[in-house]
Amino acid sequence: GALTAPMPGQIRAVQVTQGETVFKGQTLVVVEAMKMELKVTAPFDGTIKSLKVQPGQAVEKDELLVEMESKE
């Protein structure tokens, strides 16, 4: 359930809160990199365990963004 940055960039939006229930495919975080917006989406239905970033923050490739727990 660890979601990481696909490439270096800046966090443009965090669209969930800790403890929130999310569904597979839902956008969790938006990263801007090289003038493109990359959406980090939920890989499965679950709950947001913790958020490691906030809007405006710079991130490196593979930096931890969100930890999720499966519903099951």
Side-chain angles (χ1 to χ4, degrees):
L3 303 176
T4 59
M7 59 193 315
Q10 188 172 45
I11 302 300
R12 282 287 164 223
V14 177
Q15 299 184 342
V16 292
T17 57
Q18 187 169 332
E20 185 175 337
T21 298
V22 296
F23 302 96
K24 182 177 181 174
Q26 181 176 339
T27 299
L28 307 178
V29 177
V30 179
V31 179
E32 182 183 295
M34 301 185 323
K35 301 194 187 287
M36 297 184 318
E37 286 193 347
L38 305 168
K39 294 178 179 176
V40 178
T41 60
F44 51 80
D45 293 352
T47 303
I48 302 300
K49 185 176 172 183
S50 65
L51 294 168
K52 303 296 184 182
V53 293
Q54 57 190 354
Q57 180 178 337
V59 294
E60 296 299 321
K61 181 176 177 15
D62 297 327
E63 186 171 333
L64 182 62
L65 304 177
V66 179
E67 288 182 305
M68 283 183 63
E69 290 181 328
S70 176
K71 271 187 161 182
E72 297 155 3

